[in-house]
Amino acid sequence: MLIVALSALRARWTTFVASSVALALGVGLIAAMGLGLASTLDAPERAPQRFAASPVVVMGQDTLSVDVRRGPGTARVTHRLAHPHPVDPDLLGELRGLGPLVRQGGPDAVGVDAPAATVRAVVGDRAQVLTGDERRRADPGQERDAQALISVNSLLGTAGGVSAFVSVFVVASTFAFAVALRRREFGLLRTAGATPGQIRRLLLTEALVIGTIASAAGCALGAWGAPRLARLLVAGEIAPQWFTIRADVNWPFHAAFWTGLAVALTGVWAASRRAGRIGPAEALREADVDSGTMPLGRLLAGIALAGAGIGLLVWGLATDPADLLKRKTYTTRPMVLITAVALLAPLLVRRTVRLLPLPGATGMLVRENTATSLRRTAAVAAPVLVTVALAGSLLGSARSVTASKAAEAREQTSAQLIVTGDDLKQAGVPGATLSASASTAVHVREEGTALIRSEARAVADPAAFADLARLPVAAGDLRDLDDGSIVVNEEWERHTVGERVDVWLGDGRAVTLRIAAVLATGTGSNGAYITAANAPTAPVDRIDVRIGAGAGPRVAARLRAATGGTVRPVAEWVADTHPRTGPQTRLGLLVVLGIALVYTAIALAGTLLMATAARTGELKSLRLAGATRAQVLRVVAGEALLAVAVGGVLGAAVTAVNLAGLGAALASLSAPVTIAVPWGTAGLALGACAVIAPVTALLSCPRVRR
């Protein structure tokens, strides 16, 4: 069987080029992503930066630890405080008696040149004593780097998942089409006495050989590409500057190699079962009209996946619409509908082609050939569907969520000017109403099993805040906010006006506050609100300003001089603080879309290379009927373009369903419904497909004579 498989591979190498390249690329991407993930999960230890010359660091408390239920017992959960405690002044005086002190970067920590045991004896439980590598906790970039590594982990995990999904998709599609083109060959083998089991084993052996070679090449590609991927992430400011790929891990290569082999065998398994059912009579078949393009198993699988995709969307809208706004959700859920539409493509192709009328006799021939050759059209349309649907759904969802957040921020204040800065001075301006606030956080234990951190704002003047704010209040009144109360949103476990809730403030203090008002969930930006008395160490970083009739000219200049901050009109502030899509998110999505587009190019080129080269008899009939060489080429190119258009229409339909679900989620959350369709990106992706498909078809078109 191996000898027969190798002979078939040598004789039909053009049939397997696309599958081999796609598989090698997929394995390479999985290996590179795996190496990146391994480097984020066990990042190299860095030397302390802030107090590198001090053997001991004394740091104020910067964490909150709370006991929660875990099964029959309890566990201690730790969160970082929004406002770490400074080192006590009395303690600083005692530490000066032990040795020289180093103070830099703020009052939260101090370096001490003294024995650690002596320092601990003096400090006791009034602060933390850090030695050795623990001194890194005092570095200002520690938390920022940790968040950056989480972002890298999320990006690489998503890209790896998309790579696996698209590689299975492309390999299965190209293998299935290759089997369809070889029906007469398998019919001859059956006529010669081959059993269905031998046909299946032949195809599985071919897949095993291709999978082994392509997976080995992919591992080498991954080893070459991983360091370059790390440099790209650093240059895009997604990963920390020190991020590199570890050289001492091997499991990503094992995972990538065996995944590639499994993908090859899985992709050909369904095709091999269909090939095993080919009878000897197929050796005599010469019809160009495709039959049996929708097996019962494929039909049921497509219907089941379509139902699952729509069902998940409806379930999310009914139970947790806020989850539909999360990047992980709108990145993964479209794949279910994409797979469903691809499986049902043979049913949808003919109906879609009829919706795209083409003028003239050549147009009629192109349309009828495309509608008749369902396998070829579906194989060409499927990768286009993937690219257009991913571009529309991913970028459209990201831009829509960001645009809705920006619109929500604009609607939530009646101010004309916004002053921002790190530590603003609070000063009045005659004729203007000012509402100053500071960023903080509150922590609440919900159901006794989880400690939840909620971003919050501490307002300096509750009356001015209630006057300027236009928050989506679902219950209660913002004017009731005082030092003993809190404004929460509907996501909180307890959100009944008048109810008392136990919280931990941004500096770790435990207090009990009365709920004064409840806000609608919105896009997730409606956090809690407390008064400045409950966040005394939080610096003011925003002042909302409404200009009155007696404010006079040059209000912005006076505000700038009085507060020391940046003064901007509200529209400009919204544009600066809520850009269409963040650079990190945009780079991550473009990486994912780039992967899909490369796979689409491979699938289009491979499918059309196989299909067009096998049409010698059909094209010769056209020439005998009087068609010129130019007319034949126009027909071939037109069919390729029409198949791409079919894929674009199906991809647009999937995008419309996903964005409609997102719009419904925004509406149910009482958030502004702003749907942003990425026409430019989707158009570029479709345009690239529209160039690759006809060029490949024309280059592979056999030259026939009358």
Side-chain angles (χ1 to χ4, degrees):
M1 189 62 66
L2 180 60
I3 295 175
V4 176
L6 292 175
S7 299
L9 291 175
R10 284 195 299 269
R12 290 183 170 271
W13 64 270
T14 56
T15 304
F16 303 102
V17 167
S19 300
S20 302
V21 174
L23 191 58
L25 179 61
V27 171
L29 287 170
I30 293 173
M33 304 301 171
L35 289 169
L37 286 172
S39 301
T40 62
L41 296 175
D42 190 10
E45 299 292 341
R46 300 181 64 219
Q49 304 292 318
R50 181 178 172 187
F51 296 106
S54 299
V56 180
V57 174
V58 176
M59 188 168 69
Q61 294 295 332
D62 64 338
T63 58
L64 168 68
S65 297
V66 177
D67 290 329
V68 298
R69 291 199 307 271
R70 287 290 188 272
T74 61
R76 200 157 185 80
V77 177
T78 299
H79 283 189
R80 187 172 178 84
L81 293 175
H83 313 297
H85 295 185
V87 180
D88 184 78
D90 295 334
L91 178 57
L92 285 175
E94 297 177 35
L95 292 174
R96 287 192 182 95
L98 302 180
L101 300 185
V102 177
R103 302 188 66 182
Q104 56 182 10
D108 61 310
V110 60
V112 185
D113 191 0
T118 305
V119 174
R120 286 193 177 94
V122 171
V123 172
D125 60 357
R126 291 180 290 177
Q128 305 175 83
V129 179
L130 310 177
T131 60
D133 290 340
E134 282 191 339
R135 293 173 296 163
R136 290 196 308 270
R137 289 179 51 192
D139 292 345
Q142 184 76 4
E143 186 174 4
R144 182 184 64 248
D145 289 351
Q147 290 298 323
L149 289 179
I150 293 175
S151 299
V152 173
N153 190 288
S154 175
L155 167 62
L156 296 181
T158 301
V162 171
S163 299
F165 166 75
V166 181
S167 61
V168 171
F169 195 96
V170 170
V171 171
S173 175
T174 51
F175 262 119
F177 187 62
V179 168
L181 291 179
R182 298 169 66 186
R183 292 179 68 87
R184 294 190 66 192
E185 174 189 339
F186 295 139
L188 287 171
L189 288 175
R190 291 298 312 281
T191 303
T195 64
Q198 288 175 321
I199 298 294
R200 287 194 294 270
R201 286 194 295 274
L202 172 63
L203 285 172
L204 290 173
T205 303
E206 291 176 355
L208 181 63
V209 173
I210 292 173
T212 301
I213 297 173
S215 297
C219 287
L221 180 64
W224 174 83
R228 289 159 178 81
L229 174 64
R231 289 196 289 271
L232 175 65
L233 294 174
V234 171
E237 298 182 355
I238 297 179
Q241 291 294 324
W242 48 265
F243 180 71
T244 57
I245 299 297
R246 292 176 54 192
D248 58 340
V249 290
N250 294 316
W251 67 261
F253 294 110
H254 289 282
F257 181 86
W258 295 111
T259 298
L261 208 55
V263 165
L265 294 174
T266 303
V268 80
W269 179 77
S272 69
R273 290 183 61 83
R274 287 197 299 273
R277 292 193 290 269
I278 294 175
E282 291 292 334
L284 304 177
R285 188 172 183 270
E286 193 61 49
D288 289 325
V289 179
D290 287 336
S291 60
T293 57
M294 182 55 72
L296 180 61
R298 178 171 181 166
L299 176 63
L300 294 177
I303 293 174
L305 284 175
I310 300 297
L312 285 172
L313 187 59
V314 174
W315 176 261
L317 289 172
T319 58
D320 187 10
D323 184 62
L324 297 178
L325 308 186
K326 297 177 180 176
R327 184 170 61 183
K328 184 177 293 185
T329 302
Y330 64 67
T331 300
T332 55
R333 284 195 177 178
M335 297 180 188
V336 180
L337 282 177
I338 290 172
T339 306
V341 174
L343 288 173
L344 297 175
L347 281 180
L348 303 173
V349 161
R350 185 172 285 132
R351 293 168 176 80
T352 307
V353 168
R354 303 301 183 196
L355 297 175
L356 303 171
L358 298 176
T362 301
M364 181 189 67
L365 183 60
V366 167
R367 185 175 63 250
E368 295 306 319
N369 275 351
T370 304
T372 300
S373 304
L374 291 179
R375 285 194 177 92
R376 182 179 71 237
T377 305
V380 173
V384 180
L385 155 68
V386 172
T387 301
V388 173
L390 285 179
S393 299
L394 268 61
L395 280 179
S397 298
R399 291 179 181 177
S400 298
V401 171
T402 305
S404 296
K405 287 180 180 289
E408 186 179 59
R410 179 63 187 90
E411 292 176 358
Q412 289 181 355
T413 181
S414 62
Q416 288 94 29
L417 299 175
I418 302 292
V419 185
T420 56
D422 293 333
D423 191 0
L424 300 175
K425 302 172 186 176
Q426 298 187 56
V429 174
T433 303
L434 278 67
S435 174
S437 61
S439 298
T440 184
V442 294
H443 306 260
V444 61
R445 182 167 48 195
E446 295 193 350
E447 300 179 349
T449 60
L451 182 65
I452 306 298
R453 175 186 169 119
S454 177
E455 299 302 320
R457 296 205 67 81
V459 298
D461 184 348
F465 163 70
D467 187 22
L468 267 66
R470 295 293 181 267
L471 299 175
V473 178
D477 195 328
L478 295 178
R479 292 173 292 184
D480 294 334
L481 178 65
D482 55 28
D483 294 346
S485 63
I486 185 174
V487 176
V488 302
N489 63 47
E490 292 175 326
E491 286 188 320
W492 283 51
E493 180 190 11
R494 295 183 179 182
H495 55 270
T496 303
V497 174
E499 189 175 8
R500 302 190 72 81
V501 58
D502 296 326
V503 301
W504 287 266
L505 300 174
D507 56 7
R509 288 181 295 147
V511 297
T512 300
L513 300 176
R514 173 181 51 84
I515 297 177
V518 179
L519 306 178
T521 303
T523 61
S525 300
N526 296 329
Y529 289 85
I530 56 177
T531 61
N534 289 312
T537 60
V540 173
D541 58 6
R542 171 178 163 183
I543 301 176
D544 291 30
V545 183
R546 186 173 62 199
I547 304 172
R554 299 181 58 81
V555 175
R558 283 185 286 159
L559 282 170
R560 192 177 300 110
T563 62
T566 302
V567 182
R568 288 170 290 187
V570 171
E572 184 180 335
W573 168 76
V574 169
D576 291 343
T577 56
H578 297 79
R580 289 188 302 171
T581 306
Q584 291 85 0
T585 300
R586 185 165 56 250
L587 178 59
L589 293 177
L590 289 177
V591 168
V592 172
L593 294 179
I595 292 171
L597 185 58
V598 170
Y599 272 115
T600 297
I602 294 171
L604 286 176
T607 300
L608 289 168
L609 184 65
M610 290 187 290
T612 310
R615 297 177 65 185
T616 303
E618 175 190 347
L619 299 180
K620 187 173 183 179
S621 298
L622 279 177
R623 293 283 280 148
L624 290 173
T628 64
R629 171 68 177 172
Q631 289 174 323
V632 169
L633 292 178
R634 284 199 294 272
V635 168
V636 170
E639 291 175 11
L641 284 173
L642 186 55
V644 169
V646 169
V649 170
L650 297 179
V654 173
T655 299
V657 172
N658 286 312
L659 293 184
L662 184 68
L666 290 169
S668 67
L669 294 169
S670 302
V673 180
T674 307
I675 300 301
V677 180
W679 299 108
T681 304
L684 285 175
L686 187 60
C689 297
V691 171
I692 295 169
V695 169
T696 306
L698 292 176
L699 291 177
S700 58
C701 182
R703 182 174 294 276
V704 294
R705 301 181 183 277
R706 289 194 178 102

